[in-house]
Amino acid sequence: MSNAIAGVGTKFRRYDPTDGWADVAEVNSITGPGMTRDFIDVTSLDSIGGYREFIAGFRDGGTVTLAMNFTRATYDLMKADFESDDDVLYEIILPDPDITSLEFMGLVTELPLTIPTDDKVTADVTIKVNGEVTVNSGTGT
């Protein structure tokens, strides 16, 4: 039997030092964090077997994209984060038995609105992860 989980029940939250954790409403899907790692080519003329050699470089926390239904409250919240020069603490909480969460500091880098003639208005938010993504269990309170 598979241990796969559905995304239903996943939460995206934002931390405010004054008010604590608050759910970001009307999120349809979350993509990321898309972490990557640089590698540095250290190949030399005497590399064994004629193969390139690499060493590890910097890690990048990547980006997180939220596809959301437009609501004025959520848009105002994300716009405030976009206008701020300060990192914000965000958290993705998965609905698995371990209550896995991914916490990261980030900056909102994109906040486009999509206003179609025959569908709902959406606001897709892109957040640049600043630093490490921390994976926890048992959070979500």
Side-chain angles (χ1 to χ4, degrees):
M1 177 184 277
S2 174
N3 291 316
I5 62 169
V8 175
T10 298
K11 294 181 181 181
F12 187 83
R13 303 193 316 168
R14 179 187 180 279
Y15 186 78
D16 182 291
T18 305
D19 300 324
W21 286 106
D23 291 349
V24 175
E26 300 280 341
V27 176
N28 295 319
S29 68
I30 302 169
T31 303
M35 297 178 278
T36 60
R37 183 176 193 161
D38 293 336
F39 288 91
I40 302 165
D41 188 337
V42 294
T43 307
S44 63
L45 294 175
D46 58 354
S47 289
I48 297 173
Y51 283 89
R52 293 195 172 277
E53 298 176 286
F54 300 89
I55 59 173
F58 284 107
R59 294 171 187 88
D60 185 331
T63 60
V64 171
T65 302
L66 309 174
M68 303 187 311
N69 296 332
F70 175 84
T71 67
R72 178 63 187 265
T74 300
Y75 187 79
D76 286 347
L77 182 67
M78 292 292 104
K79 186 172 184 310
D81 289 354
F82 176 79
E83 296 293 342
S84 175
D85 292 333
D86 297 326
D87 287 338
V88 175
L89 181 58
Y90 297 103
E91 179 179 47
I92 300 167
I93 302 174
L94 300 174
D96 66 332
D98 295 320
I99 313 172
T100 302
S101 69
L102 300 114
E103 287 186 17
F104 57 92
M105 299 296 290
L107 296 163
V108 173
T109 60
E110 296 181 41
L111 186 60
L113 279 176
T114 302
I115 308 168
T117 59
D118 59 351
D119 203 357
K120 64 187 176 188
V121 176
T122 60
D124 297 336
V125 178
T126 301
I127 301 169
K128 176 63 184 146
V129 176
N130 191 3
E132 182 180 1
V133 175
T134 304
V135 179
N136 298 307
S137 293
T139 61
T141 57

